[in-house]
Amino acid sequence: MKTGRYAGSTQQQARPGPSSELLPILIMDILTYSGHLLSGAWITVQLTLYSSVLGLFFAFVLGVGRVSDNPFVHGLSAGIIEFFRGTSLLVQLFWLYFALPMIGQTLGYDWRFPPMLVGTLALALNIGAYAAEVVRGAIQAVAPEQYEAAKALDFSPRQTMWRIIVPQAVPEMMPSLGNLAIQNLKDTALVSLISLADLAYKAEQLRNFTQDSTTIYSLLLLMYFGMALVVAGLMKLAERYACRWRAGGSV
Amino acid sequence: MLFGIEWDTSSHWAFAVSILPILGKGLLVTLQATVVGFLLAAGFGLVLAGLKGMRSRLVAWPARFFSEFLRDTPLLVQLFFLYYVLPDYGLVLPAFMTGALALGLQYSAYTSEVYRAGIQSVPAGQLEAARALDLTPGRTFFAIVLPQAIPRIIPALGNYLVSIMKDVPILSVVAVLEVLNVARIIGDRSFNYMIPLSMVGLIYLLMTLVAAWAVRKLDERLPKEGIHLQ
Amino acid sequence: MSESNQSDKIIEFQNVTKSYGDHVVLDALDFSVRRGEKVTIIGPSGSGKSTVLRILMTLEDIQDGVIHVAGKPLWHEEKNGQLMPASEAHLRMMRKEMGMVFQQFNLFPHMTVMRNVTEAPRQVLGLSRDKAKKRALKYLDLVGMTEHADKFPSQLSGGQQQRVGIARALAMHPNILLFDEPTSALDPELVGEVLQVIEHLASQHDLTILLVTHEMQFARQISDRVCFFDQGKFVEEGRPEEIFTEPREERTKAFLSSFLGDH
């Protein structure tokens, strides 16, 4: 068990760690590492963006389906939500990456999808299922009088849901969706385990190569933290926009 | 073969049945990691909540920053950090303990908020009443605030217990033999990923459904007016 | 009412019954309104008088009886000469006859005033953006809200919101306008501006108005007929002067005196 961790211990002694007074070397290291990590960060950004957008789509479809009067639609939505909330993301990721191609093979199809697609899909389904519950809760918090007003104006049930109810449920969702967006960013790190060269993957590569764990992982944590702050900022902006019609703006 | 148990590849069903005891061993590790991780999260969270609530900004602000940092960075990376960096500073923990520690740290950021929200949910009037009765601050906290906060804290902690359980598979990256890792090894060796991975999915679904049900029952059982501490 | 012939009746309740469990809200109600008539329903709070309007707007269903609106059954459909429960399509068609103004305004909070008024004409009636906007401006002008067209409801006073609510209902060109206690939720100083708008509408001959209110003075001013509703029935109805100055029934007298005593 120890071999992995101590493979570089001799090198550790030869090369001063970050705690030494050789600050310029540390800075040079950080610059070199950063250059290498940036290409991974770009994958992480793309993955976060795609899966968040797709996840939001799933969230609205499933969340609205969950409050449907149609028992089939209601049941199906509830089942999908429970399934993806109930099984671990990593299990879903592995299943799509390792097991799905085998099912395809049995059926005579090639279901070996590129890791980027599998990663996006798994993340989107997982975060979408959590967000669907947020969407459902917000929809149920809309005043019942709004349905009556819509009925009195003769809107169809579909128009009522998508034009009247869902839009005014959005501000209620925003704080939770903001948290889920950050959750999703963090979850993207797991795709490194299906050999997608994201930020975590690049860092792992770099550590294998240099054995400079402390600097690399510190840098990595800071990069994720920075990205999380950016996501939080963007979600705050979106929240402000979504709440613009409310008295006093934000919730 | 894994853990000295052979599997039977004569049919899908036979295979599924024969690997069940192997997965069971992995499941045991998953549950152990869940429990240890949860206990650490509950403990660290309490400390973190205390620090964040300190009057002194010199303590409160770094605590809040640390909590935010834990919450905003991936568990996987935190785990790597602990696993590879701590030994450089002379602290060598077994993989299982490192994993439980990572779970505990990550989730302490969440549980600290649970404690805070639970305590804040106690109406201000209760504190005023305690002051009017001239209770000491310690007595006020333990006899008045905490008993009323507990019915809100426990179900929320229960939900994080379920979340921790779903995050345990991440520990497979440091070679902890939890259930998903076991399933993958079976897949690697039998060239059949579909059955073990699907079984792990079902096991997880079953466990989370049961756990969610238990948390709901617990929530219903807890008296909303508070729990008297003796 | 007795001299009016059948075709004159735009609303007709026959033996309509509605109850929540044991509580009877409408007790074998018979009631009709002529085209263009302005009718006010008064009565104690919680007596179910709003239910009459809510049933007409199809917000609540009935257990027994038949309602005709503009000569067609509201809650039923005629199939092979038999009355069957109405389909959603039938209800949607029937709703086109009516518009409703709510006690709590119920504006769409996420839409500007303009969109509140244009949304249904565009989406339900299929009007073009320009036509809907033109129509909206006409009615916003009528209620004196043109200058607030780009504001959100949260930026308006209650009286202003209710005036938008009226414009929103009018923009659908209903033949019947239902007012469900339109000023009950307003601060006293804002009641006047809303009543003024309703009074203006009451002067239009072709619009049928059914109003539930506690504003007795106003009811007297604008109504062709006042109906006193209590315990699931219309106890008494007649011209406003009759009801307010010489009510025949004891219950009406008691209600009116308690009411006037309050103010």
Side-chain angles (χ1 to χ4, degrees):
Chain A
M1 194 202 294
K2 287 183 176 181
T3 51
R5 279 199 275 179
Y6 292 116
S9 54
T10 46
Q11 232 173 327
Q12 276 291 338
Q13 281 152 3
R15 228 181 52 106
S19 51
S20 96
E21 65 272 40
L22 295 172
L23 194 65
I25 291 181
L26 177 64
I27 292 174
M28 280 307 292
D29 278 356
I30 288 177
L31 286 176
T32 320
Y33 297 157
S34 300
H36 188 77
L37 291 177
L38 274 180
S39 67
W42 174 232
I43 298 284
T44 296
V45 168
Q46 285 181 52
L47 200 60
T48 306
L49 191 66
Y50 300 157
S51 58
S52 294
V53 171
L54 188 62
L56 202 60
F57 170 77
F58 288 144
F60 276 93
V61 171
L62 293 172
V64 170
R66 186 83 166 64
V67 294
S68 166
D69 291 332
N70 182 324
F72 176 73
V73 174
H74 174 96
L76 186 68
S77 308
I80 294 173
I81 292 171
E82 278 307 314
F83 182 82
F84 285 102
R85 274 162 47 101
T87 53
S88 168
L89 170 61
L90 197 55
V91 177
Q92 291 156 23
L93 203 57
F94 278 9
W95 195 89
L96 285 178
Y97 192 67
F98 294 109
L100 190 65
M102 294 196 67
I103 296 176
Q105 204 177 23
T106 320
L107 300 174
Y109 297 102
D110 185 6
W111 281 351
R112 286 170 301 169
F113 300 111
M116 188 70 177
L117 185 63
V118 171
T120 304
L121 198 63
L123 287 166
L125 284 167
N126 191 265
I127 209 73
Y130 283 96
E133 285 295 279
V134 173
V135 170
R136 177 187 63 85
I139 285 174
Q140 287 175 337
V142 172
E145 287 80 13
Q146 289 289 314
Y147 291 89
E148 297 189 343
K151 206 176 199 182
L153 291 166
D154 221 5
F155 285 103
S156 70
R158 182 184 295 237
Q159 285 171 330
T160 303
M161 183 53 76
W162 290 104
R163 296 191 162 267
I164 310 295
I165 304 302
V166 169
Q168 47 178 305
V170 170
E172 190 73 30
M173 304 170 195
M174 289 313 287
S176 303
L177 291 187
N179 287 339
L180 286 177
I182 291 176
Q183 181 68 47
N184 196 34
L185 165 69
K186 292 197 297 175
D187 285 345
T188 59
L190 295 185
V191 300
S192 61
L193 305 180
I194 56 166
S195 52
L196 187 52
D198 76 329
L199 185 52
Y201 185 89
K202 288 281 183 187
E204 186 59 11
Q205 237 178 13
L206 210 53
R207 184 199 60 82
N208 261 323
F209 191 66
T210 65
Q211 297 299 330
D212 186 1
S213 315
T214 310
T215 317
I216 291 168
Y217 285 129
S218 302
L219 201 56
L220 185 61
L221 283 171
L222 284 174
M223 283 176 129
Y224 274 109
F225 187 55
M227 286 198 277
L229 292 183
V230 171
V231 170
L234 290 176
M235 290 308 287
K236 267 275 172 279
L237 282 180
E239 183 175 336
R240 195 173 301 168
Y241 177 76
C243 292
R244 72 200 181 285
W245 50 267
R246 282 196 169 181
S250 176
V251 209
Chain B
M1 193 179 88
L2 189 63
F3 302 132
I5 303 172
E6 288 284 353
W7 44 75
D8 175 0
T9 50
S10 58
S11 77
H12 283 338
W13 280 114
F15 182 57
V17 172
S18 66
I19 63 172
L20 208 51
I22 311 177
L23 291 178
K25 284 190 185 287
L27 191 58
L28 195 64
V29 175
T30 298
L31 293 176
Q32 286 166 343
T34 305
V35 171
V36 178
F38 175 75
L39 291 177
L40 289 174
F44 291 159
L46 200 57
V47 174
L48 204 50
L51 292 176
K52 286 201 284 188
M54 291 282 244
R55 286 264 161 78
S56 159
R57 287 177 182 177
L58 220 60
V59 180
W61 284 11
R64 274 183 220 164
F65 177 82
F66 182 62
S67 169
E68 198 59 40
F69 191 86
L70 285 177
R71 185 209 284 273
D72 284 352
T73 48
L75 174 62
L76 178 74
V77 180
Q78 291 172 9
L79 178 58
F80 277 147
F81 187 91
L82 294 177
Y83 191 69
Y84 291 109
V85 175
L86 286 186
D88 283 358
Y89 296 88
L91 186 60
V92 183
L93 293 172
F96 178 88
M97 279 318 294
T98 314
L101 186 64
L103 285 169
L105 277 174
Q106 164 111 132
Y107 277 91
S108 68
Y110 295 97
T111 54
S112 69
E113 285 301 302
V114 168
Y115 295 123
R116 197 186 56 84
I119 286 167
Q120 278 187 350
S121 72
V122 176
Q126 293 289 311
L127 291 174
E128 288 166 10
R131 189 170 300 162
L133 293 170
D134 221 8
L135 298 181
T136 62
R139 184 98 188 111
T140 304
F141 184 76
F142 286 105
I144 309 293
V145 177
L146 205 55
Q148 296 186 63
I150 282 176
R152 287 168 192 276
I153 291 174
I154 298 220
L157 286 183
N159 286 330
Y160 283 123
L161 176 75
V162 180
S163 298
I164 288 173
M165 185 168 75
K166 285 185 276 190
D167 271 349
V168 169
I170 296 176
L171 271 47
S172 62
V173 297
V174 292
V176 172
L177 286 171
E178 50 69 51
V179 68
L180 181 66
N181 202 6
V182 167
R184 229 190 98 181
I185 294 171
I186 297 173
D188 286 342
R189 295 186 187 167
S190 67
F191 305 106
N192 186 343
Y193 289 104
M194 190 182 72
I195 287 175
L197 288 181
S198 302
M199 285 171 73
V200 170
L202 284 178
I203 289 170
Y204 256 101
L205 195 59
L206 205 67
M207 287 198 301
T208 48
L209 285 178
V210 169
W213 174 83
V215 170
R216 206 166 48 239
K217 280 284 153 222
L218 187 68
D219 192 14
E220 286 166 12
R221 278 285 187 85
L222 287 170
K224 287 296 162 285
E225 68 276 10
I227 289 171
H228 191 62
L229 301 174
Q230 274 305 336
Chain C
M1 184 175 78
S2 49
E3 67 261 43
S4 65
N5 63 43
Q6 197 71 22
S7 65
D8 246 13
K9 291 175 182 169
I10 192 164
I11 300 172
E12 186 169 27
F13 281 55
Q14 293 168 316
N15 196 31
V16 173
T17 301
K18 164 98 186 162
S19 53
Y20 301 114
D22 288 340
H23 178 60
V24 179
V25 187
L26 303 186
D27 183 6
L29 196 70
D30 291 315
F31 173 60
S32 63
V33 178
R34 275 178 288 120
R35 195 174 285 275
E37 198 179 11
K38 315 322 183 226
V39 176
T40 303
I41 302 175
I42 59 171
S45 299
S47 61
K49 51 193 191 303
S50 290
T51 310
V52 175
L53 303 194
R54 292 173 59 80
I55 285 174
L56 275 168
M57 199 63 254
T58 71
L59 301 179
E60 285 177 41
D61 59 3
I62 57 177
Q63 271 112 26
D64 201 8
V66 180
I67 300 171
H68 281 85
V69 172
K72 290 185 285 269
L74 176 66
W75 278 103
H76 301 85
E77 262 176 292
E78 269 174 88
K79 274 180 191 156
N80 311 323
Q82 277 199 314
L83 284 184
M84 307 291 283
S87 65
E88 182 56 34
H90 177 79
L91 291 177
R92 280 203 77 188
M93 184 193 75
M94 293 305 292
R95 279 183 212 126
K96 292 212 189 318
E97 291 287 329
M98 291 164 284
M100 189 159 182
V101 176
F102 296 89
Q103 183 178 355
Q104 299 291 346
F105 335 127
N106 298 354
L107 294 185
F108 303 132
H110 60 300
M111 296 181 179
T112 60
V113 165
M114 178 55 84
R115 267 208 58 199
N116 258 283
V117 184
T118 55
E119 188 72 2
R122 286 192 64 195
Q123 301 301 329
V124 178
L125 306 179
L127 258 57
S128 71
R129 184 196 293 266
D130 287 344
K131 272 197 169 163
K133 199 169 173 184
K134 236 170 141 182
R135 191 186 271 200
L137 283 172
K138 178 179 157 193
Y139 291 109
L140 286 175
D141 186 45
L142 184 85
V143 300
M145 288 296 293
T146 319
E147 59 187 297
H148 301 292
D150 294 326
K151 290 188 181 167
F152 287 106
S154 62
Q155 298 167 302
L156 303 177
S157 73
Q160 290 172 324
Q161 290 192 50
Q162 192 57 297
R163 280 146 63 196
V164 175
I166 295 171
R168 183 176 72 171
L170 286 171
M172 293 298 281
H173 285 179
N175 292 316
I176 305 165
L177 204 46
L178 310 170
F179 288 92
D180 184 9
E181 304 200 26
T183 57
S184 298
L186 296 177
D187 292 335
E189 71 272 18
L190 300 176
V191 170
E193 60 187 74
V194 173
L195 293 184
Q196 214 176 341
V197 170
I198 302 176
E199 191 179 354
H200 176 76
L201 293 174
S203 67
Q204 297 182 357
H205 289 293
D206 48 349
L207 186 66
T208 307
I209 290 180
L210 202 50
L211 169 73
V212 171
T213 189
H214 290 296
E215 298 286 335
M216 297 303 161
Q217 190 52 42
F218 182 70
R220 186 170 186 164
Q221 224 170 303
I222 64 140
S223 315
D224 298 319
R225 182 154 54 104
V226 174
C227 307
F228 174 62
F229 185 91
D230 191 19
Q231 295 177 4
K233 292 257 193 211
F234 283 111
V235 177
E236 181 173 3
E237 55 179 84
R239 304 185 57 76
E241 319 65 275
E242 296 167 16
I243 299 287
F244 287 118
T245 50
E246 38 192 325
R248 292 184 304 273
E249 300 290 330
E250 279 309 313
R251 265 195 280 169
T252 319
K253 281 180 197 162
F255 170 72
L256 286 173
S257 67
S258 80
F259 210 88
L260 296 173
D262 277 354
H263 286 247

